[in-house]
Amino acid sequence: MSLKLAYQKASNAHEAFKIIQTNITAETIAKYKVKAELDYDEEAKKIVATGKGFSLTMLFQDDHASLDLDVSFLLKPLKGQILGSLEKQMARIL
């Protein structure tokens, strides 16, 4: 995985999944001028966001969340910035 985030506010995977499911929606993402389709798999504790040129997989485990970002060739130079921004936003709510 590209990034691991330890839970600060959530106490387990189920709670972290619910926090993200509530706070990160298609409308929230649209504020950043990004169009993405979100797929929530509560049983697997996994959220997949896909859009033009990227795919983000968030997997919630007992004590941390793992994020894996796959970007198109054109977005590769921005991958570090995108992951940094994701880390900052998610660490604030998890």
Side-chain angles (χ1 to χ4, degrees):
M1 291 289 168
S2 298
L3 185 63
K4 283 187 178 183
L5 292 170
Y7 303 142
Q8 302 298 318
K9 297 177 182 173
S11 57
N12 58 44
H14 178 73
E15 192 176 317
F17 178 86
K18 287 297 185 183
I19 289 170
I20 295 299
Q21 185 178 27
T22 303
N23 286 288
I24 298 182
T25 63
E27 294 80 25
T28 307
I29 293 172
K31 290 178 186 176
Y32 297 101
K33 297 181 178 150
V34 174
K35 292 182 183 179
E37 185 175 313
L38 295 165
D39 180 36
Y40 301 99
D41 184 348
E42 190 167 353
E43 188 175 317
K45 304 290 184 273
K46 180 171 138 178
I47 300 173
V48 178
T50 53
K52 188 175 182 179
F54 77 93
S55 176
L56 173 67
T57 303
M58 295 175 265
L59 183 60
F60 299 89
Q61 298 171 349
D62 290 336
D63 61 347
H64 70 278
S66 299
L67 281 69
D68 186 28
L69 180 63
D70 184 31
V71 295
S72 68
F73 180 75
L74 292 175
L75 294 176
K76 288 232 189 260
L78 301 174
K79 186 175 180 176
Q81 282 183 308
I82 295 167
L83 280 172
S85 179
L86 282 169
E87 180 177 26
K88 182 179 175 184
Q89 294 298 323
M90 289 187 65
R92 187 175 51 84
I93 59 177
L94 280 181

